[in-house]
Amino acid sequence: MELYFLGTGAGMPSKERNVTAIALTLYDERGTMWLFDCGEGTQHQMLRSPLKASRLEHIYITHLHGDHIYGLPGLLTSRSNQGGTSPLVLFGPPGLEALLEPVLRLSQAHLSYELIYREVSEGPVFEDDRFEVLCAKLDHRIDSYGYRIVEKDKAGKLDAGKLKALGIPPGPLFGRIKQGETVTLSDGTVVDGKAFIGPPIAGHKVVILGDTRKCESAVALAADADVLVHEATFDGSLNDLAQAYYHSTALDAARTARQAGAKALIMTHISSRYQEEETRLLLEEARTEFEQAWIAKDHWSFPIRP
């Protein structure tokens, strides 16, 4: 599992940063990837990356401002041209389908796959046997959401050494015991599989927020996250401007991470007033409140480890 940042700028593209798009690669877990927001030029950024649109399974849109959605028509049609045939689920706020469908229809876009719309509201928006995705409303000028991606706990490791000590050789019995079954050996010994399995392995928790001012719902959504991705449009000296435009400062992001008990903070959605060297100001400011903080940049990746 890895986060790959395709666009990390705020409002409009600059020479150093494209507008928002973040990929979560789930190649080991699902053989697919999920995309969070799709600003203008995302498909171009993807061409310069190791990512393939054909492997997209879900797209999650945080809100309907242009710097988060204007890349959708191009990416969706290019996915067809690049051989994408599997269904693609598009999650987003009310109005996303009404906004996008006329563009696809009037441009006579041909999609070689099924495009499925899922309108989001607060609460669970997706769940299967491996992942759950939850959604909460943030504090922005229009409805803006954050997504909490929870990987469900995995079964504990089998203590193979303990089984071998009982004279149980590797083979089909190992598999049954690993499933927690109770098995009877040829000599009549009854083996409780649960006694040979370690504690469950905690799954990862990743939280990706849309544009927002600092708010309690962000803190709640990010509780105990392995990684929190939070906008940091301005530095603390521009707090009044951030409040007026419903955005966050680097200090706001750091305080949210600290209050939530997150393990790592990645700041994105950086104003173009901060050129590459000037982003150090944002990072230094954030680390006064939360040490495990980073500033994302385009084509930067962050592996998510236990």
Side-chain angles (χ1 to χ4, degrees):
M1 186 185 293
E2 183 176 77
L3 287 165
Y4 189 100
F5 291 83
L6 291 160
T8 58
M12 61 183 184
S14 68
K15 292 181 179 179
E16 293 183 338
R17 296 178 183 273
N18 199 49
V19 285
T20 301
I22 305 165
L24 177 65
T25 60
L26 301 168
Y27 298 149
D28 292 339
E29 296 81 3
R30 307 174 71 84
T32 64
M33 70 173 176
W34 295 352
L35 186 67
F36 292 81
D37 286 335
C38 186
E40 180 184 358
T42 293
Q43 66 168 320
H44 295 273
Q45 294 289 86
M46 202 170 284
L47 289 172
R48 300 183 183 98
S49 79
L51 307 176
K52 301 294 182 186
S54 59
R55 300 187 78 169
L56 266 175
E57 180 188 22
H58 294 173
I59 299 177
Y60 293 87
I61 298 299
T62 62
H63 64 295
L64 300 185
H65 276 155
D67 58 321
H68 295 256
I69 62 167
Y70 283 169
L72 279 171
L75 179 64
L76 294 176
T77 52
S78 290
R79 185 176 186 263
S80 284
N81 297 332
Q82 294 168 9
T85 57
S86 58
L88 176 61
V89 187
L90 183 56
F91 298 85
L96 179 59
E97 182 177 2
L99 185 152
L100 187 57
E101 275 301 312
V103 176
L104 297 175
R105 184 181 70 252
L106 292 172
S107 64
Q108 298 186 29
H110 170 70
L111 302 185
S112 58
Y113 55 87
E114 182 184 8
L115 180 62
I116 303 165
Y117 292 93
R118 292 284 184 266
E119 189 174 286
V120 304
S121 58
E122 293 195 292
V125 297
F126 171 78
E127 184 174 10
D128 65 5
D129 61 350
R130 189 70 185 269
F131 287 93
E132 182 179 21
V133 181
L134 302 151
C135 182
K137 189 177 289 187
L138 306 172
D139 183 12
H140 194 46
R141 289 191 295 117
I142 63 173
D143 285 356
S144 180
Y145 292 88
Y147 293 99
R148 179 181 175 92
I149 304 96
V150 179
E151 182 185 24
K152 296 181 179 179
D153 292 350
K154 298 181 281 291
K157 292 184 179 179
L158 180 68
D159 191 339
K162 194 174 177 181
L163 288 174
K164 289 177 182 177
L166 287 178
I168 304 173
L173 277 180
F174 267 51
R176 292 178 60 192
I177 293 171
K178 189 173 183 179
Q179 296 302 315
E181 294 183 26
T182 297
V183 301
T184 303
L185 305 182
S186 57
D187 63 0
T189 302
V190 177
V191 176
D192 181 1
K194 295 183 179 66
F196 295 85
I197 300 172
I201 301 169
H204 299 99
K205 296 180 284 292
V206 179
V207 175
I208 300 173
L209 304 184
D211 293 1
T212 185
R213 295 192 292 197
K214 190 176 185 306
C215 59
E216 288 304 314
S217 61
V219 174
L221 193 69
D224 196 32
D226 293 290
V227 183
L228 168 62
V229 180
H230 196 301
E231 70 135 294
T233 309
F234 303 109
D235 70 87
S237 70
L238 298 176
N239 181 64
D240 289 347
L241 189 63
Q243 291 296 308
Y245 286 94
Y246 289 78
H247 284 296
S248 294
T249 67
L251 280 173
D252 291 331
R255 288 167 180 162
T256 295
R258 176 171 52 78
Q259 292 169 14
K263 297 177 179 65
L265 167 68
I266 301 176
M267 293 176 288
T268 187
H269 201 268
I270 308 301
S271 168
S272 59
R273 72 183 62 221
Y274 304 100
Q275 298 304 308
E276 200 59 41
E277 289 301 312
E278 294 168 319
T279 59
R280 287 182 299 177
L281 170 65
L282 300 174
L283 185 59
E284 290 167 2
E285 185 173 87
R287 285 182 173 172
T288 65
E289 293 277 346
F290 189 82
E291 186 175 347
Q292 297 301 314
W294 285 266
I295 296 278
K297 59 182 180 180
D298 290 14
H299 299 292
W300 179 73
S301 60
F302 187 91
I304 301 164
R305 300 188 177 95

